[in-house]
Every structure is written in C-alpha cells, then in structure tokens.
Amino acid sequence: MSRSGRAPRLIPALLLATVLSACGGGGGSSSGGVSALPAVPTSTNQSVTVQGAIVAIGSPSVFSLQSVDGRQLSVLTNPSTVIGGPAPFVGEAVEVTGTSASSTQIAASAVRQSASGSVSAQAGTIVLGGSYAASTSGGFTLTSANGNEAVTTTNSTTYANGKPKAGDYVEASGPGTAGVSVTAQLAAIFPSAPGQVTLTGIVKQQTTYGFTLTLTSGAPLPVAVVSATALSGPVAVGQQVSVTGIGSATVAIFASSIAPVVSVAPSPSPTASAVPVTSSTATPAPVSSPVATASPTIAPSPAPTLAPTPVPTIAPTPVPTVAPTPGVPAPSYVPPHVQTAEYLWSSTEESTSPSVYAPYLTYAYTKTSLLGPTHAAGIKTVLYTNPMMPHSSGSYDMNEITSSYAGVQAKDCSGNSVRTYSNTGYLADMTNFAAGSYMSAVVNDYANNALSANPGYANPFDLVFMDNANSFYGVSAMPCNYSSSTWTADMDSAIQAEPYQTLINTLSVTTSSIPGKVAGLQASNIVGGEYEACYNDRQWTAEEEAQIQTISALKSQGKSPGAGFWCYLDGTSSDGSTATGLRMFAYASFLLTYDPNYSVFQESFASSPSTFKVMPETQFVPMEPQKTASAISDLQTSSGAYVQQYAYCYYKRNLVGSCEIVVNPGTATVSVPNLGNYAHSVVLTGSGVLDGGQVTFDGGAPASLAPGTAAILTP
C-alpha cells in the first residue's frame, strides 16, 4: 500500500509465514485439552490436538501456548499451516492440530480460534478519543480536553469506518497511557464525539482489540475491550452479550461493561400429555458451513484432483428486449462480464473445479500448486510477489536483501537501514545500482517455485503482482535524499529487469499524488496498476482520476488491453446481501470512467455457501460511452451528480438498451438528471453470482440521490 496511513496488504504474511483465512470461530475438535501428546520424547511424530491460550509470540512462526491442562507448549508454524481466524495473538483461545514427538513442542498443521476461551483485556490497554489533528510518521495526533494525544498505528491496527483524516472524530484503543498516547489496536471514525450506547448481540470472533459482535442486521461490529472494561462473567465466542460503551451500532463500540445475557424460559402452562409420534424420517446430520482455510503458498506441492462442486440452479432474470440506439453502431463484441478478479483461496474454492468459476472470472490468485489447473480452465492466473518490502523471516527475498543484496537495503541519512512492517522487514532501494539484479532474482525465485509446483504446465501463471510498489507506508524513516521522480524512474528500470508481465500495487494515494504514481507505469512489462480499497476509502475523486489517467497512459504507450486499472474494493468482509448499497455505489462509480478492455473490478464481499466473491452486477456491461472524460469533473452535472450515458448496455450479453450511470459522491442530496427519460433502475438482491444473487431492472427511476449513493437507469 502506498497511501499514507494505510497498512500494507497482509498477503506477504499469508504467503510466506502462515496461511491465513478470514473466517472465524470455526473448526473445533470434539475433544478438549491435550489429545495424545507424548509424555516422553518419541522417535516418531504423533498426531495431536491441543486447546489452550496463546501466552507469547516468539516470532512469526513460533508462539507459546498454555494448554487447558496447564502445560507450556511451543507451537511451530510453517507456510502450509492453516490459520482459521485472525493471525495468532496473545490471549487468543485456540485449538492446535499437528504432530509432536515431545511433550513440549507441536509442529502445527492447523491453528483455529476456539470457542472455549473467554474474552479478556490486555493489561495496560486504554481508550483515547479526540478530533484528528495531524498525521505523524508513526500514526497521527488527536486534540481533546487533555491536549494533544499521540496515536501510533501498526500493520495490525484495525480501522472501523475508514482511515482517520482531518475533520474526523477518532476513538482509539490499545496499550498506552491515559490522556497521553496509545498504540492503536482499534481506531474508529465518528462524525462527532460518540455517546453511550447499549447493544445486544452474539460474540462472533476474538480479536486483538476485543471481539466482533453480530447484531440483528449489518456487518459484525468491532468491540474494544480494555483494562477498565467491567466483565460480568465469562464472555466466549458464540455467547449472547449486552455491551455498554461509547460508540454506535454502525461503526464500533468501546466497551465500559459487558454482561452475558441469560435467557430465562417462561414456566409452561399445564397441558395434557401428547401421544408420542414417531418420525418417519431420520433427523439429518448437521452440515458445517464451508470454512475458508487455505491461501497461496510458494512451497511446491502436487496439484489435487479437482471435482466439480454442484452450483445452485439460478432462474434466468428477465431482460427487456429493446431496439438498438439510433445513429450509434453496436459493438462488434460484447464480453459476458467486465474484467473480474478473485482470490480462490477458501477450502471450498480450492476443492472446486476452476471450470465452475471460468464463466464469471477473468483473473485469479490461487494456491501456488493450483495455478496450472486454473490457467488451463481459461482463467488468467496471478502470481503474488513482494520484493520491495520483504519481511518474512526465512523467505528467499528476505534472505537475499540481508545477504547477497544487503547493499540494496534503503538507508536513512544516518546510515541506518530503513525498516518496514514494524521493524520486521526492509525497504529495497530502487536507486541502488543492483536493484534490477535483486528484483530479477527475487521474482525469478517466485516464478521457479510456481513452475516446479505445476509439473506439466508450461505457463502456469499469466501475470506477476508486485505489492508495495513505490510505497513508504510504515517506514522507520524516508530514504536519504529521496526524490520521487528519481525513485519512480529507477523502480521502472528495476521492474523491467524481470521478464514477466507485471501489475504493481501503487495507485492508492490522494488525488494530487495520482500523476506521480501513474508515471511509474512506464516499464514495458508493467501492464497496469492497482488501487486498493477502491471506492471504500472516501477518496472517490482519486479513484476516478486514477482510472482515467492510468488508462490514458497505457493507451498512449501503445500497451495492449489487459489488467490496466485494477480496482480492488477490499477493507470489508460484509456479506454481499447486506451491502447492496455500497455495491451499487462502487460498481456505478467504476462504470463512470471504465474501459472494458483496460479495467478490472474485484470485490471482497462474502458470499455463501460458494465463498466465491464475484457479484452478479459484473455481468451488466455498458458499451459505447457518450462522453470521454479527460478528468472526472467532465462528468459532473449542474445538479452535482456525475453522469455517464452508454448507447448499449447488456446483461448476460442480452441488450437492455441504452442506460445512464448516476453517482453522488458528495455530502448533500442531488437531483438526478434523467437525460434519457428512463423509467426504471437496476436493483441488486442477494450476494454472489453462484449463490443466487440477482440483478433486475424493475426499480423505479429515482428523482434524487442521497449522499454516497448511485443508480443505474434503464428503459
């Protein structure tokens, strides 16, 4: 990530330290405590399952576990270890499955959050609140009645309602000193100082800051638990609790007290005894929801045999039949969907034939050993790399930048190495004469691992993704004598030293910085740039300008259609069915300035049971825009709304007619300039395209749009 204040993507840790999943509370064992742990050393490993609490983190691959029977155990993880839930943290109740030849150490094959442990507060944790004052090298400052308060952010800080900026009121919790400073585990944005609320819900998952709470509607709510929080009894995952504290039901709550909710059943009225009735049908066994547990690993492993997973039969959506737009030639080719992307990382996706996803998917990140089969199914595959900010202990890129290419470490003006990822990693100096050789060596190592993991597939991947390109988030200091233009040009030269088509994660910056980042797309093998948190970070103008300028630059360089501008809406795992408003706003915003040949749309909304995160609206494909924008302001109308008309709009390759995209990114309601006198609008229901999600064209044409909303008007 390159935007100031945004954490770098956590994928490097996923790939090179432990394999993480976004699911929570899953995968418990039928037994508690220690299962078959050897009492004395043995010559062979035994399978074991142990439950307990994490008491210390020794390194990214080792933590200490206090088992429920009192043993102190050392747990070793590796790139193939499956982590169910968040990255392990001190105080987390977990269940560890693996092998052991001693009574003190386990080589973990899986670490899953357990529902048996109680939520507790880390000693010395506090809450600070105040108005955002200014950014700092390590976070930001707040102004409150106590004066200025310092908030330090890290790669593990969780943000609720976006990243703090001028004008925001912020509550932050974590270790610190009251009225002075805090190292934020949770930072939440509110329009003004929040009041006290009391909410009741189900504890969904333990987290570093406390837990998440499932309410009757909406996404799980972050709940901060600090030293001063009063706990009226044990609080565990799956338990119903009442939480009181400052915050809101839509952002987060910083708990002052938490009490388990005890349901008391009413006394039954006397009734006559019923005659027993024997059911003729056996009670079905419970069916577990799919648990997303695996993610890419660069360690070679044989590709499994993939059997197709049954996909729900979805009734076709009626599409109106209309005549072509007079005077505008119809497109010679209509794609079945806009260019899409997805992380095929869940256990369900990994065990499903990629041919199931091929009709809906353009690009896929997969487990390394599945690159070949996925590519063979007609899906373009993406290989993750992170040479510019290596940080995972024992990884090839980390070894290279600390040995053979130690000179490539960026230095501050005191001669100290610039550190990243909370001083666990390094920043590669793009101006160093050996940067190109280092880049080539690292990317070739990723590529060679992919090739060896996919025997029989000559070209298992189509694209190299390079994270943290031209990014300085979380650095201990800026490189000495840093020049943006020099660094960017030298980065292009270094990337050109590796031989693969490359997409770089570089565009997530503010509007004024977009031109400088787009200038870094010059290398002949750079096919595009990614904007992360796209349309989900309150930087709407920057996202539109990034798309316009990226596409223009790639075309002016004569580069072929492809990844181009990659819009990745992450930062949320809400179920797609509960986020149709945000989905419409994001997709309509994307369509305002997209080019079907140079734009990619990726989302992170959850969808079950398939876990496939491609939404049905991506099959709505507008063609032949009526206005070409050189800046997003070209599409703003006198009402304040942004509008783009398309002569031909298709759904599942069926012509709907012309259409109008209308977006209101502002803070006031605007009228809708219905330029085509359209009678209807698009309606989104359900979630993913494989889970019954639907697009219909029976909504009314709105006369106005509230702030942060959008509409697609149709005949």
Side-chain angles (χ1 to χ4, degrees):
M1 289 298 171
S2 48
R3 182 194 305 283
S4 175
R6 174 180 295 155
R9 182 182 296 184
L10 297 180
I11 297 173
L14 303 181
L15 282 165
L16 303 174
T18 54
V19 183
L20 301 184
S21 154
C23 69
S29 168
S30 60
S31 62
V34 179
S35 170
L37 192 66
V40 295
T42 66
S43 58
T44 59
N45 284 326
Q46 299 180 18
S47 296
V48 298
T49 297
V50 178
Q51 290 184 346
I54 297 175
V55 294
I57 303 290
S59 74
S61 60
V62 181
F63 63 82
S64 296
L65 184 76
Q66 184 79 30
S67 70
V68 294
D69 68 349
R71 299 197 198 189
Q72 187 86 8
L73 307 172
S74 179
V75 178
L76 312 180
T77 62
N78 59 62
S80 63
T81 302
V82 174
I83 307 295
F89 59 88
V90 173
E92 183 183 21
V94 296
E95 179 183 83
V96 178
T97 300
T99 58
S100 178
S102 75
S103 61
T104 60
Q105 189 175 92
I106 300 174
S109 59
V111 179
R112 294 184 173 89
Q113 189 172 96
S114 171
S116 63
S118 297
V119 172
S120 61
Q122 182 180 341
T125 50
I126 62 166
V127 178
L128 292 183
S131 300
Y132 182 94
S135 63
T136 64
S137 59
F140 54 90
T141 56
L142 300 177
T143 299
S144 72
N146 297 314
N148 286 335
E149 300 171 331
V151 179
T152 300
T153 57
T154 69
N155 293 339
S156 60
T157 300
T158 296
Y159 296 92
N161 200 26
K163 300 292 178 63
K165 61 177 181 54
D168 289 334
Y169 189 93
V170 183
E171 294 284 346
S173 65
T177 303
V180 180
S181 63
V182 66
T183 298
Q185 295 171 333
L186 174 66
I189 293 175
F190 300 90
S192 58
Q196 180 167 293
V197 296
T198 298
L199 302 171
T200 300
I202 304 295
V203 178
K204 177 178 174 62
Q205 184 181 72
Q206 282 185 282
T207 64
T208 53
Y209 55 80
F211 59 90
T212 55
L213 186 71
T214 300
L215 305 176
T216 55
S217 63
L221 186 73
V223 177
V225 181
V226 297
S227 297
T229 304
L231 297 174
S232 301
V235 175
V237 171
Q239 187 173 15
Q240 186 177 30
V241 296
S242 176
V243 181
T244 298
I246 54 174
S248 76
T250 57
V251 178
I253 182 169
F254 294 78
S256 57
S257 65
I258 303 172
V261 175
V262 180
S263 299
V264 179
S267 299
S269 301
T271 58
S273 299
V275 178
V277 177
T278 302
S279 171
S280 60
T281 305
T283 302
V287 179
S288 298
S289 300
V291 179
T293 55
S295 40
T297 172
I298 59 174
S301 57
T305 301
L306 302 177
T309 295
V311 178
T313 301
I314 301 172
T317 302
V319 178
T321 302
V322 295
T325 303
V328 179
S332 58
Y333 172 76
V334 178
H337 51 76
V338 300
Q339 292 194 90
T340 56
E342 159 70 322
Y343 294 103
L344 297 178
W345 287 359
S346 74
S347 59
T348 299
E349 290 168 317
E350 287 186 357
S351 62
T352 299
S353 169
S355 62
V356 171
Y357 307 124
Y360 315 101
L361 190 59
T362 311
Y363 294 94
Y365 298 83
T366 75
K367 183 177 179 180
T368 305
S369 61
L370 297 181
L371 287 167
T374 306
H375 174 85
I379 301 170
K380 297 176 182 177
T381 48
V382 186
L383 179 66
Y384 179 90
T385 70
N386 185 29
M388 297 194 201
M389 280 192 182
H391 70 97
S392 295
S393 177
S395 65
Y396 178 84
D397 45 9
M398 190 68 164
N399 289 340
E400 290 297 285
I401 205 168
T402 55
S403 57
S404 301
Y405 290 97
V408 176
Q409 295 176 21
K411 300 291 175 51
D412 62 22
C413 289
S414 296
N416 301 311
S417 295
V418 176
R419 303 306 300 269
T420 63
Y421 285 88
S422 300
N423 290 323
T424 64
Y426 294 89
L427 177 70
D429 184 355
M430 293 296 98
T431 67
N432 187 279
F433 73 93
S437 297
Y438 162 76
M439 190 80 74
S440 180
V442 170
V443 174
N444 281 331
D445 181 71
Y446 279 99
N448 290 335
N449 283 327
L451 289 168
S452 63
N454 291 272
Y457 297 96
N459 299 295
F461 61 92
D462 298 86
L463 191 65
V464 165
F465 174 82
M466 195 170 289
D467 205 358
N468 300 309
N470 213 356
S471 172
F472 301 95
Y473 174 78
V475 296
S476 57
M478 286 300 291
C480 192
N481 299 320
Y482 168 76
S483 163
S484 175
S485 59
T486 301
W487 188 281
T488 300
D490 288 344
M491 178 194 72
D492 268 13
S493 297
I495 291 175
Q496 193 154 314
E498 51 93 358
Y500 304 103
Q501 297 283 287
T502 302
L503 171 76
I504 63 175
N505 188 6
T506 190
L507 296 175
S508 302
V509 292
T510 55
T511 305
S512 61
S513 299
I514 292 294
K517 298 301 182 182
V518 172
L521 306 177
Q522 297 291 325
S524 60
N525 59 330
I526 294 180
V527 297
E530 181 179 281
Y531 197 117
E532 199 164 350
C534 191
Y535 301 117
N536 194 32
D537 64 351
R538 302 193 298 180
Q539 294 286 345
W540 187 86
T541 300
E543 285 136 359
E544 296 292 350
E545 290 295 337
Q547 180 158 225
I548 291 170
Q549 294 178 37
T550 296
I551 294 170
S552 176
L554 297 175
K555 288 182 176 180
S556 69
Q557 296 166 27
K559 292 183 176 178
S560 301
F565 174 76
W566 192 300
C567 174
Y568 177 31
L569 193 165
D570 65 342
T572 178
S573 58
S574 298
D575 190 279
S577 63
T578 67
T580 53
L582 175 55
R583 283 167 51 193
M584 176 62 75
F585 177 77
Y587 193 56
S589 297
F590 171 75
L591 294 179
L592 276 178
T593 54
Y594 98 118
D595 184 310
N597 296 313
Y598 287 89
S599 299
V600 177
F601 191 67
Q602 180 180 2
E603 297 170 278
S604 61
F605 298 109
S607 185
S608 60
S610 75
T611 72
F612 185 57
K613 298 179 180 65
V614 172
M615 301 292 125
E617 57 266 30
T618 56
Q619 296 174 289
F620 181 81
V621 182
M623 306 286 283
E624 306 301 329
Q626 299 302 284
K627 192 168 186 177
T628 300
S630 58
I632 189 55
S633 57
D634 294 341
L635 300 182
Q636 189 172 24
T637 63
S638 58
S639 75
Y642 291 79
V643 174
Q644 177 68 279
Q645 281 189 289
Y646 286 90
Y648 295 90
C649 301
Y650 300 84
Y651 181 58
K652 298 182 179 179
R653 284 183 163 168
N654 294 308
L655 180 64
V656 175
S658 64
C659 65
E660 179 177 314
I661 314 297
V662 191
V663 180
N664 177 18
T667 57
T669 299
V670 300
S671 60
V672 173
N674 193 334
L675 304 179
N677 295 317
Y678 297 100
H680 297 96
S681 63
V682 168
V683 176
L684 306 180
T685 55
S687 53
V689 69
L690 293 182
D691 297 308
Q694 292 286 308
V695 173
T696 58
F697 303 88
D698 51 4
S704 62
L705 287 177
T709 63
I712 299 175
L713 308 185
T714 60

